[in-house]
Amino acid sequence: MANDDEMAYLFAIQNQQNQINFQPRPRTVNNNIINSFELTDSAFIKNYRLTKNLANTLIQELSPFLKSPKRSSDLDVSTKVLVALNFFATGSYQTPVGNSRFTSVSQSSVSRCIEEVTSALNTDNVFGKWVKFPSSLRELRKVRNEFYENTGIQGCIGCIDCTHVAIVPPIKDPLNAHSEYIYVNRKGYHSINVQLICDSKLRILNVNALFPGSTNDSYIWNNCDVLPILEQIYRNGQQGYFLLGDSGYALRPWLLTPINDPVTDVEQYYNKIQMTTRSAVERCNGVLKMRFRCLLKHRFLHYHPEKCTKIINACTVLHNMCIIHNVELPVEESLNVLILP
């Protein structure tokens, strides 16, 4: 027994010495990762859609809403934003995004990055800054004057239309008040019907991504917070402000639509000008989806409808940042802008 005790004592001493002499293995670093900000300007825009300066501006703006790294293994704010931007831009699945030569992070980390950045872009401080309908007559006049200078139409303050963003069939759960079949649109696939109102420069003034794909465009408009604003402006005697929409909407003093079966030259001329000007929202839709390809029909958002709504809102924020700062689409994509229903 004494021999066993002596051996245990010697083992304890040796183990303690081994702990004292232990040198931790340095953390493995992937030296093949490329610093995104060392890319050329065109390559950076192709992968993230924003310019380097604009990306840095976004990182600073979102920093208060993102978790700061507490451990050496945690991702920094810059990496989180770039990972999310790359997903929005390419529409690739989370694993390819995580395995890219710019990040090399796990799929679960990519998922957390998208969740954090999307939520940050949906905060009132950020979303309300970049996506907002004119809140005063001075702002309305500015938008109206821009339309007149670009199109020759007096009184127009925006163009309205809806577009479908494809999603995977949702699972019935307490967070989703709608049944799965409600999301099947007239084209036969699951989607969210997104209402957009844009100005003559393709800046999105209002977005409503709350309704399932089977919802009628006019129903979304009748439940939109912009409608009562325009009605009130008209009742207050300011009758020179209106939106342009297609024939799916009801004709109102604040929403002008094409004339069905025009007869006179004046009616035909009105229809021509109305549809030419209204095409701005179709171009806006096309640019939005080609710039942020996660919204394209063949990509499908693989998330719960509530999160899909947040992703759509996030993309409109980034779209407006690009429009306001004159960021061009990559050449090969600007030549193939798709207008999707």
Short mmCIF file of all heavy atoms in Angstrom, two decimals, residues 79-121:
data_model
loop_
_atom_site.label_atom_id
_atom_site.label_comp_id
_atom_site.label_asym_id
_atom_site.label_seq_id
_atom_site.Cartn_x
_atom_site.Cartn_y
_atom_site.Cartn_z
N THR A 79 -16.69 42.30 -39.51
CA THR A 79 -16.88 40.99 -40.15
C THR A 79 -18.35 40.62 -40.21
O THR A 79 -18.84 40.12 -41.23
CB THR A 79 -16.11 39.90 -39.40
OG1 THR A 79 -14.71 40.22 -39.40
CG2 THR A 79 -16.30 38.54 -40.06
N LYS A 80 -19.09 40.89 -39.14
CA LYS A 80 -20.52 40.59 -39.12
C LYS A 80 -21.25 41.31 -40.25
O LYS A 80 -22.07 40.73 -40.97
CB LYS A 80 -21.12 40.97 -37.78
CG LYS A 80 -20.69 40.12 -36.61
CD LYS A 80 -21.33 40.61 -35.32
CE LYS A 80 -20.89 39.77 -34.13
NZ LYS A 80 -21.50 40.27 -32.86
N VAL A 81 -20.96 42.59 -40.40
CA VAL A 81 -21.64 43.39 -41.43
C VAL A 81 -21.27 42.89 -42.82
O VAL A 81 -22.14 42.75 -43.69
CB VAL A 81 -21.28 44.89 -41.27
CG1 VAL A 81 -21.85 45.70 -42.44
CG2 VAL A 81 -21.82 45.42 -39.94
N LEU A 82 -20.00 42.58 -43.05
CA LEU A 82 -19.58 42.13 -44.38
C LEU A 82 -20.16 40.76 -44.71
O LEU A 82 -20.53 40.50 -45.86
CB LEU A 82 -18.05 42.09 -44.45
CG LEU A 82 -17.34 43.46 -44.40
CD1 LEU A 82 -15.83 43.27 -44.45
CD2 LEU A 82 -17.80 44.35 -45.54
N VAL A 83 -20.25 39.88 -43.72
CA VAL A 83 -20.85 38.56 -43.95
C VAL A 83 -22.31 38.73 -44.38
O VAL A 83 -22.78 38.10 -45.33
CB VAL A 83 -20.75 37.69 -42.69
CG1 VAL A 83 -21.66 36.46 -42.80
CG2 VAL A 83 -19.31 37.22 -42.48
N ALA A 84 -23.05 39.58 -43.67
CA ALA A 84 -24.46 39.81 -44.01
C ALA A 84 -24.60 40.47 -45.37
O ALA A 84 -25.46 40.09 -46.17
CB ALA A 84 -25.12 40.67 -42.93
N LEU A 85 -23.75 41.45 -45.66
CA LEU A 85 -23.81 42.12 -46.96
C LEU A 85 -23.56 41.14 -48.10
O LEU A 85 -24.22 41.22 -49.15
CB LEU A 85 -22.78 43.26 -47.02
CG LEU A 85 -23.09 44.52 -46.24
CD1 LEU A 85 -21.94 45.52 -46.35
CD2 LEU A 85 -24.39 45.17 -46.72
N ASN A 86 -22.63 40.23 -47.90
CA ASN A 86 -22.34 39.25 -48.94
C ASN A 86 -23.52 38.32 -49.18
O ASN A 86 -23.81 37.93 -50.31
CB ASN A 86 -21.08 38.44 -48.58
CG ASN A 86 -20.61 37.55 -49.70
OD1 ASN A 86 -20.55 36.33 -49.57
ND2 ASN A 86 -20.26 38.14 -50.84
N PHE A 87 -24.22 37.97 -48.11
CA PHE A 87 -25.43 37.15 -48.26
C PHE A 87 -26.51 37.92 -49.00
O PHE A 87 -27.14 37.40 -49.93
CB PHE A 87 -25.94 36.70 -46.90
CG PHE A 87 -27.33 36.10 -46.96
CD1 PHE A 87 -27.51 34.82 -47.44
CD2 PHE A 87 -28.44 36.84 -46.58
CE1 PHE A 87 -28.79 34.27 -47.53
CE2 PHE A 87 -29.71 36.30 -46.66
CZ PHE A 87 -29.89 35.01 -47.13
N PHE A 88 -26.77 39.17 -48.60
CA PHE A 88 -27.77 39.98 -49.29
C PHE A 88 -27.43 40.14 -50.77
O PHE A 88 -28.30 40.08 -51.63
CB PHE A 88 -27.88 41.37 -48.66
CG PHE A 88 -28.33 41.38 -47.23
CD1 PHE A 88 -27.83 42.32 -46.33
CD2 PHE A 88 -29.25 40.46 -46.76
CE1 PHE A 88 -28.25 42.34 -45.01
CE2 PHE A 88 -29.67 40.46 -45.45
CZ PHE A 88 -29.17 41.41 -44.57
N ALA A 89 -26.14 40.32 -51.06
CA ALA A 89 -25.71 40.60 -52.43
C ALA A 89 -25.79 39.38 -53.33
O ALA A 89 -26.18 39.49 -54.50
CB ALA A 89 -24.29 41.15 -52.42
N THR A 90 -25.43 38.22 -52.81
CA THR A 90 -25.32 37.04 -53.66
C THR A 90 -26.53 36.12 -53.55
O THR A 90 -26.84 35.39 -54.49
CB THR A 90 -24.07 36.23 -53.29
OG1 THR A 90 -24.19 35.76 -51.93
CG2 THR A 90 -22.82 37.09 -53.41
N GLY A 91 -27.20 36.14 -52.41
CA GLY A 91 -28.31 35.21 -52.21
C GLY A 91 -27.85 33.79 -52.03
O GLY A 91 -28.66 32.86 -52.07
N SER A 92 -26.54 33.58 -51.83
CA SER A 92 -26.01 32.23 -51.64
C SER A 92 -26.46 31.69 -50.29
O SER A 92 -26.78 32.44 -49.38
CB SER A 92 -24.48 32.23 -51.71
OG SER A 92 -24.04 32.65 -52.98
N TYR A 93 -26.43 30.36 -50.16
CA TYR A 93 -26.78 29.75 -48.89
C TYR A 93 -25.71 30.08 -47.86
O TYR A 93 -24.59 30.46 -48.18
CB TYR A 93 -26.94 28.24 -49.05
CG TYR A 93 -28.14 27.87 -49.89
CD1 TYR A 93 -27.97 27.31 -51.16
CD2 TYR A 93 -29.43 28.09 -49.43
CE1 TYR A 93 -29.07 26.98 -51.94
CE2 TYR A 93 -30.53 27.76 -50.20
CZ TYR A 93 -30.35 27.21 -51.45
OH TYR A 93 -31.43 26.89 -52.22
N GLN A 94 -26.04 29.88 -46.60
CA GLN A 94 -25.17 30.33 -45.53
C GLN A 94 -23.82 29.62 -45.51
O GLN A 94 -22.80 30.22 -45.21
CB GLN A 94 -25.86 30.15 -44.19
CG GLN A 94 -27.07 31.06 -44.01
CD GLN A 94 -27.74 30.85 -42.66
OE1 GLN A 94 -27.24 30.09 -41.82
NE2 GLN A 94 -28.86 31.51 -42.46
N THR A 95 -23.80 28.33 -45.86
CA THR A 95 -22.53 27.59 -45.83
C THR A 95 -21.53 28.14 -46.84
O THR A 95 -20.38 28.39 -46.50
CB THR A 95 -22.78 26.09 -46.05
OG1 THR A 95 -23.61 25.60 -44.98
CG2 THR A 95 -21.47 25.33 -46.05
N PRO A 96 -21.90 28.36 -48.14
CA PRO A 96 -20.96 28.96 -49.07
C PRO A 96 -20.49 30.34 -48.65
O PRO A 96 -19.32 30.69 -48.84
CB PRO A 96 -21.75 29.01 -50.38
CG PRO A 96 -22.76 27.93 -50.27
CD PRO A 96 -23.13 27.90 -48.81
N VAL A 97 -21.38 31.13 -48.05
CA VAL A 97 -20.97 32.45 -47.58
C VAL A 97 -19.92 32.31 -46.49
O VAL A 97 -18.91 33.01 -46.47
CB VAL A 97 -22.20 33.24 -47.06
CG1 VAL A 97 -21.74 34.51 -46.33
CG2 VAL A 97 -23.13 33.60 -48.20
N GLY A 98 -20.15 31.39 -45.56
CA GLY A 98 -19.20 31.19 -44.47
C GLY A 98 -17.87 30.64 -44.93
O GLY A 98 -16.83 30.92 -44.35
N ASN A 99 -17.89 29.85 -46.00
CA ASN A 99 -16.66 29.24 -46.50
C ASN A 99 -15.92 30.11 -47.50
O ASN A 99 -14.93 29.69 -48.08
CB ASN A 99 -16.99 27.90 -47.17
CG ASN A 99 -17.43 26.85 -46.16
OD1 ASN A 99 -17.11 26.95 -44.98
ND2 ASN A 99 -18.19 25.87 -46.62
N SER A 100 -16.41 31.33 -47.74
CA SER A 100 -15.79 32.18 -48.74
C SER A 100 -14.39 32.58 -48.31
O SER A 100 -14.03 32.52 -47.14
CB SER A 100 -16.63 33.44 -48.98
OG SER A 100 -16.46 34.35 -47.91
N ARG A 101 -13.61 33.01 -49.29
CA ARG A 101 -12.22 33.38 -49.02
C ARG A 101 -12.10 34.68 -48.23
O ARG A 101 -11.00 35.07 -47.83
CB ARG A 101 -11.46 33.52 -50.34
CG ARG A 101 -11.95 34.64 -51.25
CD ARG A 101 -11.27 34.56 -52.61
NE ARG A 101 -11.55 35.69 -53.46
CZ ARG A 101 -12.64 35.85 -54.18
NH1 ARG A 101 -13.58 34.91 -54.14
NH2 ARG A 101 -12.83 36.91 -54.94
N PHE A 102 -13.24 35.35 -47.97
CA PHE A 102 -13.20 36.61 -47.25
C PHE A 102 -13.47 36.44 -45.74
O PHE A 102 -13.12 37.31 -44.95
CB PHE A 102 -14.23 37.59 -47.82
CG PHE A 102 -14.07 37.84 -49.30
CD1 PHE A 102 -15.07 37.51 -50.18
CD2 PHE A 102 -12.91 38.40 -49.80
CE1 PHE A 102 -14.93 37.74 -51.54
CE2 PHE A 102 -12.74 38.62 -51.15
CZ PHE A 102 -13.75 38.29 -52.03
N THR A 103 -14.12 35.33 -45.36
CA THR A 103 -14.51 35.19 -43.95
C THR A 103 -14.06 33.88 -43.34
O THR A 103 -13.43 33.86 -42.29
CB THR A 103 -16.04 35.30 -43.81
OG1 THR A 103 -16.66 34.33 -44.67
CG2 THR A 103 -16.52 36.69 -44.18
N SER A 104 -14.40 32.76 -43.96
CA SER A 104 -14.09 31.43 -43.44
C SER A 104 -14.63 31.26 -42.02
O SER A 104 -13.89 31.03 -41.07
CB SER A 104 -12.57 31.19 -43.44
OG SER A 104 -12.27 29.86 -43.09
N VAL A 105 -15.96 31.40 -41.89
CA VAL A 105 -16.60 31.20 -40.61
C VAL A 105 -17.64 30.09 -40.75
O VAL A 105 -18.00 29.70 -41.87
CB VAL A 105 -17.28 32.49 -40.09
CG1 VAL A 105 -16.24 33.57 -39.89
CG2 VAL A 105 -18.36 32.95 -41.06
N SER A 106 -18.13 29.59 -39.65
CA SER A 106 -19.07 28.48 -39.67
C SER A 106 -20.45 28.93 -40.13
O SER A 106 -20.77 30.12 -40.11
CB SER A 106 -19.18 27.86 -38.28
OG SER A 106 -19.76 28.78 -37.38
N GLN A 107 -21.26 27.94 -40.52
CA GLN A 107 -22.62 28.25 -40.96
C GLN A 107 -23.42 28.89 -39.83
O GLN A 107 -24.20 29.82 -40.05
CB GLN A 107 -23.31 26.96 -41.44
CG GLN A 107 -24.73 27.17 -41.97
CD GLN A 107 -25.77 27.13 -40.88
OE1 GLN A 107 -25.57 26.49 -39.85
NE2 GLN A 107 -26.89 27.81 -41.09
N SER A 108 -23.25 28.39 -38.60
CA SER A 108 -23.98 28.96 -37.48
C SER A 108 -23.58 30.41 -37.22
O SER A 108 -24.43 31.24 -36.86
CB SER A 108 -23.75 28.12 -36.22
OG SER A 108 -22.36 28.06 -35.91
N SER A 109 -22.30 30.72 -37.44
CA SER A 109 -21.84 32.10 -37.28
C SER A 109 -22.45 33.01 -38.34
O SER A 109 -22.84 34.15 -38.06
CB SER A 109 -20.31 32.17 -37.35
OG SER A 109 -19.72 31.49 -36.26
N VAL A 110 -22.53 32.50 -39.57
CA VAL A 110 -23.17 33.27 -40.64
C VAL A 110 -24.62 33.55 -40.29
O VAL A 110 -25.12 34.66 -40.47
CB VAL A 110 -23.09 32.51 -41.98
CG1 VAL A 110 -23.89 33.24 -43.06
CG2 VAL A 110 -21.63 32.38 -42.43
N SER A 111 -25.31 32.53 -39.76
CA SER A 111 -26.71 32.70 -39.38
C SER A 111 -26.86 33.80 -38.33
O SER A 111 -27.76 34.65 -38.42
CB SER A 111 -27.26 31.38 -38.84
OG SER A 111 -28.61 31.52 -38.45
N ARG A 112 -25.96 33.80 -37.35
CA ARG A 112 -26.04 34.83 -36.30
C ARG A 112 -25.72 36.21 -36.86
O ARG A 112 -26.33 37.21 -36.47
CB ARG A 112 -25.08 34.48 -35.16
CG ARG A 112 -25.56 33.30 -34.29
CD ARG A 112 -24.71 33.19 -33.03
NE ARG A 112 -23.34 32.81 -33.34
CZ ARG A 112 -22.91 31.55 -33.40
NH1 ARG A 112 -23.77 30.56 -33.20
NH2 ARG A 112 -21.65 31.29 -33.66
N CYS A 113 -24.77 36.27 -37.79
CA CYS A 113 -24.43 37.56 -38.41
C CYS A 113 -25.63 38.14 -39.16
O CYS A 113 -25.96 39.33 -39.03
CB CYS A 113 -23.26 37.39 -39.38
SG CYS A 113 -21.66 37.05 -38.61
N ILE A 114 -26.29 37.29 -39.96
CA ILE A 114 -27.45 37.75 -40.72
C ILE A 114 -28.55 38.21 -39.79
O ILE A 114 -29.19 39.25 -40.02
CB ILE A 114 -27.95 36.62 -41.65
CG1 ILE A 114 -26.89 36.30 -42.71
CG2 ILE A 114 -29.26 37.01 -42.32
CD1 ILE A 114 -27.22 35.08 -43.56
N GLU A 115 -28.77 37.47 -38.71
CA GLU A 115 -29.82 37.82 -37.74
C GLU A 115 -29.52 39.16 -37.09
O GLU A 115 -30.39 40.04 -37.01
CB GLU A 115 -29.92 36.72 -36.68
CG GLU A 115 -30.89 37.04 -35.55
CD GLU A 115 -32.33 37.13 -36.01
OE1 GLU A 115 -32.68 36.44 -36.99
OE2 GLU A 115 -33.10 37.90 -35.39
N GLU A 116 -28.28 39.34 -36.63
CA GLU A 116 -27.91 40.58 -35.94
C GLU A 116 -27.97 41.79 -36.85
O GLU A 116 -28.55 42.82 -36.50
CB GLU A 116 -26.50 40.45 -35.35
CG GLU A 116 -26.43 39.73 -34.02
CD GLU A 116 -25.08 39.92 -33.35
OE1 GLU A 116 -24.70 41.08 -33.11
OE2 GLU A 116 -24.40 38.91 -33.11
N VAL A 117 -27.37 41.67 -38.02
CA VAL A 117 -27.31 42.81 -38.94
C VAL A 117 -28.70 43.15 -39.47
O VAL A 117 -29.06 44.33 -39.60
CB VAL A 117 -26.33 42.52 -40.10
CG1 VAL A 117 -26.36 43.65 -41.12
CG2 VAL A 117 -24.91 42.34 -39.55
N THR A 118 -29.49 42.13 -39.78
CA THR A 118 -30.86 42.37 -40.26
C THR A 118 -31.68 43.10 -39.20
O THR A 118 -32.39 44.06 -39.51
CB THR A 118 -31.54 41.05 -40.63
OG1 THR A 118 -30.83 40.42 -41.71
CG2 THR A 118 -32.97 41.28 -41.08
N SER A 119 -31.57 42.66 -37.97
CA SER A 119 -32.31 43.32 -36.88
C SER A 119 -31.83 44.75 -36.70
O SER A 119 -32.65 45.66 -36.46
CB SER A 119 -32.13 42.53 -35.58
OG SER A 119 -32.70 41.24 -35.69
N ALA A 120 -30.53 44.98 -36.81
CA ALA A 120 -30.00 46.34 -36.67
C ALA A 120 -30.51 47.25 -37.77
O ALA A 120 -30.85 48.41 -37.52
CB ALA A 120 -28.47 46.29 -36.68
N LEU A 121 -30.59 46.74 -39.00
CA LEU A 121 -31.09 47.54 -40.11
C LEU A 121 -32.58 47.83 -39.99
O LEU A 121 -33.09 48.74 -40.64
CB LEU A 121 -30.80 46.83 -41.44
CG LEU A 121 -29.35 46.82 -41.89
CD1 LEU A 121 -29.14 45.83 -43.04
CD2 LEU A 121 -28.90 48.21 -42.32
#
